[in-house]
Amino acid sequence: MILIKTLLLAALLTLSLSANEKVNVNFSDLQINDFVKLVSKTTHKNILINNKINGTVNFVGTAPVYSDELIGILVSVLESKGYTLIKKGSIYEIIRSSEAAKHNAKVITQGKHLYGSLMVTQSVHVKRENVDLIAAKIRYLLSKTAKLMTMKESNTLIITDYPKNIETIKRVIKDIDKSYPSIVKMIPIKHANARKLQTRLVNIAKSIFNQKVLSEAVKIVFDDNTNSLVVVGIEKNVARIEELIKKMDVESYVSKGVQIYELKNSDAKTVATSLNAMIAKQAFRDQSLKPNISYNDEINAIIAIGDPVILKGIKAIIDELDKEKYQVYVKAKIVEINKKDSSDIGVKYGFAVGSASSSGIYAMSTNFGDTKKSNDAYNILQKRLGDITKGTISSALALGATIDFLEENGASTSISNPSILCVNNKESSIYVGRTISISTGSFANSSGIASAATTYKREDVGLTLKIKPRVSSNDKVTLDIEASLENVVDDGSKNATGQPVTSKQEVKTQAILRHGESIIIGGLVKNSQRESLSKLPLLGDIPWLGEWLFSSKSTTDEQDNLIVILTPYVIDKSANLSRLQKNLGMLDRIQKEYNSEVFKRLEEERKKKTVKKEK
């Protein structure tokens, strides 16, 4: 039935074609292979079918079409199935659309107008724009199976596609590949530094002109031979740059590039070193823009020479470095505690005196902090010194009372009570001791007899305390502490050399303390022997006989612990120092009141215990 339908349709097309070269086409559910055969017979074209193409085709025609248009209809039908038609001599061949470029699609001369239904290859020259950018923009206009290649060397596109698509692409390229005439203008610079001005203008041009649009881009080149700026771009953009140059090309004075910054809180040499180290790490495209930093010790000032814009940044850095620094006021109390005497007092009054740990921190446990918080001394201290001691009032009073109690009972001796004001992150030191002379040699005369001329060197023997504070907040400070103690063990009378012999002990530690909190540094121990004589009254004074019969000598090993009590107070402003001194004076007076009450209560408790034991 299908064969009969095909033959009848072919007969009608043939009769119509011979009459007026037009064909009436109207069919439905016609197999594609049968349609190929119909077109071949109607147009008298030889068509080679290498692949079986499944599917049917429907065409509703209300008016006759030219016979040549049947080829176009066939190409459209084949394209929908992924195939196309290629002419090879007098034969048309059906091939896959994606392989059209490999099957010698007809090459049409560049610039020639295209027509027809078959895929062709043509090169399109791009005159002004970058060929790769054009290819990216027109790629969506290609058919699904078309091929596109760019040739950067000649700025040319090679396209294999249907003629109508290629013509559309050519028209689009013509519209976007427009000429933007650029001009070149040389603008002499009269007053400003042309190289610096060029750097600024390049940055400005990037901000006001869209750099992604080639026609908008402006190039600014410095010509050192004429001290001019060469501006390249479209006329309106060049005019804007020229207008900016007229406004920026003003006479400048050396004073604008020199700034003197007097420092209030920091050392000029230290700040200058930090600034030069920072500048050395910066990369300057124009080395003439690199600032020069020096300092003056006499007025403690930084001298900066450079571009005013850069100097503004340097000033901001100097302002940060020259902020008022934290200071730490450290009260030190150096006390020597006799181990035996303090133990005897502890037994007598019922408390443990203390011991030194391996880290050098001296622990002291007493009941001196057991007073009722309702006592007047404590309340006064709480109200009037709360902002100074920051909640450490009770422990501070207890510690002070302990040390004073031992000293009052002869178990301790206060060596020194120095105070030192430290700058944050700067090491400060305290020395308490004496200086001794040590012989270093003597001169001999020509006869070999030693001359009376002897050389000596002076050596410090005593306690050296070094403190370096690091403030983390106005309520907390880290102390790096180093304490060393040197003692004279032998003044030279007990050895053959006649030279003094000294000993040295050191303690290094680190502590994190709150404002007004105390730490006790121990571990500095001095051992000695004490000889004592006991005798009967009168009888013991009898020569020889009294010494042997009525008196006795004993030797006792003594051990003295040298402890250092440190209490830091953080000062964020210099104005607070005088206020702190006033409050610390008040603290000393209240400590005496506190001691009086505590010592009285402690003595009463001791008497009660004694009475109970006697009963």
Side-chain angles (χ1 to χ4, degrees):
M1 184 64 182
I2 296 175
L3 178 60
I4 296 172
K5 187 189 295 186
T6 302
L7 293 175
L8 290 173
L9 182 60
L12 291 172
L13 290 174
T14 302
L15 291 174
S16 179
L17 184 60
S18 63
N20 52 15
E21 296 184 351
K22 286 188 176 182
V23 180
N24 290 314
V25 182
N26 192 348
F27 50 84
S28 64
D29 294 331
L30 184 63
Q31 292 292 326
I32 293 177
N33 285 333
D34 293 336
F35 180 60
V36 173
K37 295 174 184 179
L38 178 61
V39 172
S40 176
K41 291 178 181 180
T42 304
T43 59
H44 303 291
K45 306 292 185 182
N46 296 321
I47 300 176
L48 175 62
I49 304 174
N50 289 325
N51 300 284
K52 182 179 179 181
I53 304 173
N54 297 321
T56 59
V57 60
N58 297 304
F59 187 87
V60 180
T62 58
V65 297
Y66 288 100
S67 57
D68 288 344
E69 291 179 324
L70 285 174
I71 296 296
I73 295 172
L74 177 59
V75 170
S76 296
V77 172
L78 293 174
E79 180 67 19
S80 67
K81 300 297 182 182
Y83 294 88
T84 190
L85 204 61
I86 290 293
K87 187 176 181 181
K88 294 183 177 180
S90 60
I91 298 175
Y92 289 85
E93 183 178 354
I94 297 175
I95 62 171
R96 294 189 180 276
S97 300
S98 59
E99 299 177 354
K102 299 179 181 179
H103 285 270
N104 299 323
K106 187 176 181 180
V107 178
I108 307 300
T109 305
Q110 186 178 115
K112 190 174 181 180
H113 183 74
L114 301 178
Y115 58 89
S117 304
L118 305 182
M119 293 185 81
V120 297
T121 298
Q122 188 177 42
S123 61
V124 181
H125 179 64
V126 179
K127 296 179 181 179
R128 301 172 185 88
E129 295 284 348
N130 183 289
V131 67
D132 289 328
L133 295 177
I134 292 294
K137 294 174 182 178
I138 56 91
R139 195 174 294 275
Y140 76 98
L141 297 172
L142 297 171
S143 63
K144 184 178 179 180
T145 55
K147 299 296 181 182
L148 172 65
M149 183 176 70
T150 61
M151 297 184 64
K152 295 182 181 180
E153 296 83 359
S154 59
N155 213 47
T156 301
L157 295 170
I158 298 177
I159 306 172
T160 299
D161 203 349
Y162 295 103
K164 289 183 178 180
N165 284 359
I166 295 178
E167 285 299 317
T168 301
I169 289 171
K170 288 161 65 176
R171 286 195 296 272
V172 172
I173 291 175
K174 184 178 180 181
D175 289 338
I176 64 178
D177 189 28
K178 290 183 178 180
S179 174
Y180 296 95
S182 297
I183 63 171
V184 179
K185 192 161 189 177
M186 181 176 287
I187 305 172
I189 305 302
K190 298 178 182 179
H191 305 293
N193 184 304
R195 187 179 294 279
K196 294 180 181 178
L197 185 57
Q198 180 244 359
T199 302
R200 296 177 193 168
L201 289 170
V202 167
N203 293 330
I204 293 173
K206 290 179 181 179
S207 301
I208 63 177
F209 302 130
N210 189 347
Q211 302 300 307
K212 296 181 179 179
V213 179
L214 294 180
S215 60
E216 287 290 313
V218 174
K219 292 183 178 179
I220 304 172
V221 182
F222 168 63
D223 181 27
D224 55 353
N225 292 324
T226 60
N227 197 47
S228 301
L229 294 180
V230 181
V231 185
V232 182
I234 60 177
E235 187 174 358
K236 67 173 185 177
N237 290 354
V238 172
R240 290 187 67 181
I241 295 297
E242 185 177 12
E243 184 180 351
L244 286 172
I245 291 175
K246 289 179 181 179
K247 294 180 179 180
M248 299 173 70
D249 185 22
V250 294
E251 189 172 0
S252 60
Y253 300 92
V254 177
S255 59
K256 292 183 179 180
V258 178
Q259 293 291 336
I260 297 176
Y261 307 102
E262 293 187 13
L263 304 183
K264 299 177 181 179
N265 303 295
S266 301
D267 177 63
K269 182 178 180 181
T270 303
V271 173
T273 302
S274 300
L275 289 172
N276 283 320
M278 179 195 68
I279 292 171
K281 296 179 180 179
Q282 302 299 314
F284 293 89
R285 185 170 58 181
D286 183 356
Q287 288 299 312
S288 63
L289 295 175
K290 187 175 183 179
N292 188 344
I293 305 295
S294 59
Y295 66 94
N296 183 279
D297 276 331
E298 186 175 352
I299 60 174
N300 193 44
I302 297 295
I303 303 171
I305 303 175
D307 185 272
V309 176
I310 296 177
L311 292 185
K312 287 183 180 179
I314 290 177
K315 183 181 183 304
I317 297 173
I318 291 175
D319 289 342
E320 288 295 320
L321 294 176
D322 194 36
K323 283 184 176 179
E324 187 169 3
K325 293 174 175 57
Y326 280 108
Q327 297 182 87
V328 180
Y329 182 77
V330 181
K331 284 193 66 177
K333 189 176 182 69
I334 304 170
V335 180
E336 188 177 77
I337 300 176
N338 184 276
K339 184 176 181 181
K340 181 179 183 303
D341 292 343
S342 61
S343 298
D344 291 343
I345 293 173
V347 172
K348 181 178 180 181
Y349 287 92
F351 61 83
V353 178
S355 59
S357 65
S358 59
S359 63
I361 305 298
Y362 198 88
M364 186 169 291
S365 173
T366 74
N367 56 2
F368 285 92
D370 295 338
T371 58
K372 297 180 180 179
K373 293 188 177 182
S374 60
N375 69 75
D376 294 337
Y378 186 89
N379 289 334
I380 293 172
L381 191 62
Q382 177 72 49
K383 293 176 182 179
R384 303 179 69 179
L385 300 180
D387 59 334
I388 297 299
T389 54
K390 301 289 186 183
T392 61
I393 302 172
S394 179
S395 60
L397 289 175
L399 177 61
T402 303
I403 298 300
D404 292 343
F405 186 79
L406 292 176
E407 185 172 356
E408 186 175 295
N409 287 273
S412 69
T413 304
S414 180
I415 304 299
S416 178
N417 297 308
S419 298
I420 186 169
L421 185 62
C422 309
V423 178
N424 189 32
N425 283 318
K426 297 288 185 180
E427 185 181 273
S428 300
S429 62
I430 300 172
Y431 172 73
V432 179
R434 59 194 177 97
T435 304
I436 62 174
S437 298
I438 299 177
S439 173
T440 59
S442 60
F443 296 98
N445 56 25
S446 58
S447 62
I449 301 174
S451 173
T454 305
T455 59
Y456 294 89
K457 67 176 181 178
R458 305 285 285 174
E459 291 287 345
D460 292 331
V461 178
L463 174 69
T464 301
L465 180 65
K466 296 181 180 179
I467 303 171
K468 182 178 180 181
R470 292 199 307 275
V471 179
S472 56
S473 68
N474 60 0
D475 187 33
K476 189 173 289 186
V477 60
T478 300
L479 295 182
D480 289 329
I481 306 165
E482 181 178 344
S484 63
L485 175 65
E486 290 185 85
N487 287 314
V488 177
V489 178
D490 180 5
D491 60 359
S493 60
K494 298 179 181 180
N495 62 78
T497 62
Q499 298 292 321
V501 179
T502 62
S503 64
K504 184 176 182 180
Q505 294 172 300
E506 287 187 346
V507 174
K508 293 182 181 180
T509 188
Q510 186 180 77
I512 301 176
L513 303 173
R514 288 185 298 162
H515 175 94
E517 189 176 15
S518 298
I519 185 174
I520 306 176
I521 307 300
L524 304 173
V525 181
K526 181 173 67 175
N527 294 312
S528 60
Q529 289 184 337
R530 184 170 62 184
E531 294 182 353
S532 59
L533 176 63
S534 299
K535 59 183 180 180
L536 294 175
L538 299 176
L539 296 177
D541 295 330
I542 300 174
W544 300 103
L545 185 62
E547 181 179 351
W548 286 96
L549 297 178
F550 305 108
S551 64
S552 64
K553 291 183 179 180
S554 62
T555 301
T556 306
D557 291 330
E558 298 286 341
Q559 186 181 82
D560 293 328
N561 289 298
L562 192 69
I563 66 170
V564 181
I565 304 171
L566 300 177
T567 308
Y569 299 93
V570 180
I571 304 170
D572 56 351
K573 295 180 181 178
S574 299
N576 291 337
L577 181 58
S578 58
R579 180 172 171 231
L580 174 66
Q581 294 281 15
K582 180 180 178 181
N583 288 335
L584 289 178
M586 188 185 305
L587 179 62
D588 289 338
R589 291 195 298 273
I590 295 175
Q591 179 73 65
K592 292 178 181 179
E593 296 176 20
Y594 185 89
N595 290 353
S596 177
E597 183 177 340
V598 172
F599 295 171
K600 181 180 179 181
R601 178 181 58 81
L602 197 62
E603 183 64 28
E604 290 174 353
E605 291 178 357
R606 185 190 68 80
K607 289 180 179 180
K608 288 179 181 179
K609 291 179 181 178
T610 304
V611 171
K612 287 182 180 180
K613 288 181 180 179
E614 291 177 353
K615 289 181 178 181

